[in-house]
Amino acid sequence: MKNTAGFLKVSVFILLSTSLLSSCFLFNKNKGGVSSTTGMAYGNSKDTLSFTPFDTKNLPNPPGMVFIQGGRTVLGSFEEDLLGTRDNIERTVTVNSFYMDETEVTNKDWKEYVFYQFNPIPLSLGKEISIVDDPASPFLPPTTSHNGQTLKDLIPNDSVWSSDFSFNDVYSENYYSNPGYNNRPVVGITWRQAVDYCKWRTDFVNYITISQLPLEDLPDAYKLEFYDPDGTLQILGSAAGGNSSTGGGELTPQALDDLQQDQIAFINANKKLFIERGIYLPEFRLPNEAEWEYAAKATIGTQYLDENEEYGRIYPWDGRGVRNPYGKRRGELLANFKRGRGDYAGIAGNINNDGDVIPRDVGGYEPNDFGLFNMAGNVSEWVNDTYRPLSFQAVDDLNPVRKDGTADGEQLYGWEGDRTDFRSLINDRAKVYKGGSWKDVAYWMSPGTRRFLDQDKATNTIGFRCAMISIGFESKAGGGGGGIFGGKK
């Protein structure tokens, strides 16, 4: 018996010891020390022989965005189908977590985009390098932008405000150009212009992120392309980059601009090298229609304990009305929209007069339960989807999107050859826009309603905001994104 007891004690001791060692071994994986499957020690940025599992510790939350936790939802129009289109029937889908701009892109944001299409990014290259303009050949912004367009191609179309029967022409000169409208949502831009902005924002934000990292964190190919072995920029030793009259520690603005565009082009051509190191944010893009509708409805605020929704939502807020039913702001309108024929603002001097005859500054009115502002009213917003009336039947039920006319070609809508007897407005250029605007009645503020417009058309009622897929765990939500207003007040 004694021998048996002793044997059991030793066995238990060995078992516990093994369990503890195994636990420590597994936990080391999370610390980046030792592989839990091979026992091999992980390397670091200075170790070129060992495998190094990179992490995302260097990635910031995307600026200006808030985290949208994904989940199951019911998409579709909960309003009466006034036009009889039957193009957004209710159905259950799941949307992945993502980020979305807290507000619409503003005139000020667009002016920044236009500026940096013709000018270098003012980033420090180190204390030993200074940017000095050459008096003999001062820097002048080129006539062609970095993405190959002219200034006229980039700025919003001011003529969207012009009318032969109104005095709104004054906004043609002022709405985009006057600093007093800087924080109003940009309008007069096409779907393709919005896509170009997203591409620029992706390049710009990632270039800033990468440029501020230590040299040792960058891919070897990038360092070989732009840096000497001692860590100095190669361009400083070239005749084109350095200022020979003042020494090799100076760059002209033109040389800096050329260098930055070469670096951005290299990053885009070798994107995977940066992605695998966790130092490249996913692309900024237009939200999919399902993402936009899910984010606008924000049913996260209607959840009950057992995952049931206590009630649905017609608008991005509770209730069937468009006025605040609670507290000190009871009776105030919850969005900027057209109340009725000829009524854009209400009667002067009354609490119900919001004074917003045209789009107002972003961030006005209460945000929805995701912390997003103006998801109803103010301006409608472009989304990524190509319009088809029966998209709800064709798209997947996980992250649904219609990218083009696949399985529902434009020839079915009259766009076949030189056909002239019938041709509808629906083709592969028709892009969806969502949400009501300052010029729409309340019906269009329901997130389930949908309309479309040609991708090269612009109006004074359509703007946009960007989205980005969320990479990694939900703990990213703890950062709260880079929102401007900080959600609900």
Side-chain angles (χ1 to χ4, degrees):
M1 289 294 292
K2 288 183 179 180
N3 291 338
T4 303
F7 175 77
L8 289 174
K9 289 180 180 178
V10 172
S11 299
V12 171
F13 175 77
I14 292 174
L15 182 61
L16 289 174
S17 300
T18 304
S19 299
L20 288 172
L21 287 172
S22 299
S23 299
C24 294
F25 197 60
L26 287 170
F27 288 134
N28 277 337
K29 181 179 181 180
N30 297 331
K31 296 180 179 179
V34 179
S35 168
S36 63
T37 55
T38 65
M40 189 65 170
Y42 290 143
N44 53 47
S45 58
K46 297 180 180 180
D47 185 353
T48 59
L49 296 178
S50 302
F51 168 70
T52 303
F54 299 106
D55 57 40
T56 58
K57 66 178 189 294
N58 294 314
L59 279 178
N61 285 318
M65 290 188 156
V66 296
F67 179 79
I68 310 297
Q69 184 182 20
R72 182 198 70 212
T73 188
V74 177
L75 298 182
S77 179
F78 287 78
E79 270 279 27
E80 182 181 356
D81 190 0
L82 295 182
L83 302 182
T85 55
R86 304 284 291 171
D87 64 351
N88 202 14
I89 305 300
E90 295 174 26
R91 71 275 184 200
T92 300
V93 303
T94 296
V95 177
N96 195 16
S97 297
F98 61 100
Y99 287 96
M100 179 176 273
D101 278 339
E102 190 177 24
T103 70
E104 298 117 343
V105 172
T106 64
N107 286 325
K108 181 169 59 178
D109 299 328
W110 196 267
K111 290 175 183 177
E112 180 187 28
Y113 158 59
V114 173
F115 178 85
Y116 285 118
Q117 281 293 337
F118 297 94
N119 294 275
I121 305 170
L123 287 177
S124 173
L125 298 176
K127 295 181 180 179
E128 71 282 359
I129 305 173
S130 56
I131 309 301
V132 179
D133 207 354
D134 187 353
S137 180
F139 175 76
L140 294 174
T143 56
T144 303
S145 67
H146 293 146
N147 62 1
Q149 301 184 65
T150 65
L151 180 62
K152 185 178 179 181
D153 296 328
L154 292 174
I155 61 175
N157 181 5
D158 291 328
S159 67
V160 296
W161 291 102
S162 299
S163 171
D164 293 332
F165 299 100
S166 73
F167 190 61
N168 293 333
D169 302 51
V170 64
Y171 298 123
S172 296
E173 295 181 352
N174 288 278
Y175 184 82
Y176 174 71
S177 302
N178 195 310
Y181 294 98
N182 270 351
N183 292 321
R184 306 288 176 101
V186 66
V187 296
I189 50 99
T190 66
W191 182 89
R192 283 211 274 199
Q193 283 180 302
V195 170
D196 287 343
Y197 175 91
C198 295
K199 173 64 170 63
W200 165 82
R201 188 175 175 186
T202 301
D203 293 344
F204 193 91
V205 173
N206 277 303
Y207 179 72
I208 292 175
T209 302
I210 292 168
S211 298
Q212 294 174 341
L213 292 173
L215 198 61
E216 62 188 32
D217 289 343
L218 303 178
D220 291 336
Y222 185 78
K223 290 184 282 190
L224 288 172
E225 182 73 17
F226 296 104
Y227 292 89
D228 289 326
D230 61 357
T232 59
L233 281 167
Q234 293 179 9
I235 194 173
L236 294 177
S238 67
N243 188 331
S244 58
S245 63
T246 56
E250 295 180 352
L251 283 179
T252 63
Q254 185 60 60
L256 175 64
D257 192 39
D258 293 341
L259 169 65
Q260 291 175 343
Q261 293 310 305
D262 288 343
Q263 290 175 322
I264 290 172
F266 182 92
I267 292 170
N268 285 332
N270 302 275
K271 192 180 300 182
K272 194 170 183 178
L273 294 176
F274 299 87
I275 292 176
E276 66 187 12
R277 286 175 171 262
I279 57 175
Y280 191 91
L281 283 169
E283 66 174 358
F284 292 86
R285 56 178 173 78
L286 292 178
N288 301 329
E289 182 178 5
E291 289 175 330
W292 193 97
E293 190 173 328
Y294 174 78
K297 197 171 294 184
T299 52
I300 190 173
T302 68
Q303 299 298 321
Y304 197 60
L305 296 177
D306 56 356
E307 287 194 354
N308 287 325
E309 294 180 3
E310 293 188 88
Y311 46 85
R313 277 182 171 166
I314 296 178
Y315 304 109
W317 51 79
D318 294 340
R320 295 182 173 273
V322 294
R323 300 183 186 277
N324 192 335
Y326 308 114
K328 296 180 180 179
R329 296 189 174 183
R330 184 175 182 179
E332 293 184 10
L333 289 170
L334 293 168
N336 175 21
F337 67 102
K338 185 177 180 180
R339 319 326 179 44
R341 183 173 297 176
D343 185 0
Y344 291 85
I347 300 173
N350 190 280
I351 186 176
N352 295 321
N353 175 18
D354 54 29
D356 301 322
V357 176
I358 61 171
R360 67 168 295 172
D361 287 0
V362 300
Y365 300 101
E366 286 291 312
N368 69 6
D369 286 325
F370 277 130
L372 301 171
F373 290 84
N374 305 122
M375 293 300 284
N378 220 30
V379 293
S380 301
E381 299 178 15
W382 288 114
V383 295
N384 186 47
D385 293 53
T386 298
Y387 179 81
R388 289 294 187 273
L390 300 179
S391 290
F392 66 90
Q393 292 182 343
V395 295
D396 291 344
D397 58 3
L398 173 62
N399 298 321
V401 64
R402 175 171 280 286
K403 303 173 184 177
D404 49 38
T406 300
D408 195 6
E410 60 183 14
Q411 66 273 12
L412 300 175
Y413 300 91
W415 294 86
E416 183 177 15
D418 298 326
R419 183 176 179 178
T420 57
D421 61 319
F422 166 73
R423 180 162 286 184
S424 74
L425 296 176
I426 301 173
N427 54 33
D428 290 344
R429 298 168 55 87
K431 302 300 179 181
V432 178
Y433 65 95
K434 301 283 285 183
S437 75
W438 61 275
K439 207 173 184 179
D440 291 316
V441 294
Y443 171 79
W444 295 108
M445 293 198 297
S446 176
T449 56
R450 59 200 304 253
R451 290 173 285 181
F452 65 93
L453 188 68
D454 186 278
Q455 63 186 15
D456 289 324
K457 300 286 187 181
T459 75
N460 59 10
T461 61
I462 304 178
F464 74 103
R465 70 180 78 207
C466 299
M468 174 192 290
I469 195 68
S470 173
I471 301 296
F473 299 100
E474 294 179 5
S475 59
K476 290 290 285 184
I484 303 168
F485 297 97
K488 286 200 169 188
K489 297 177 178 62

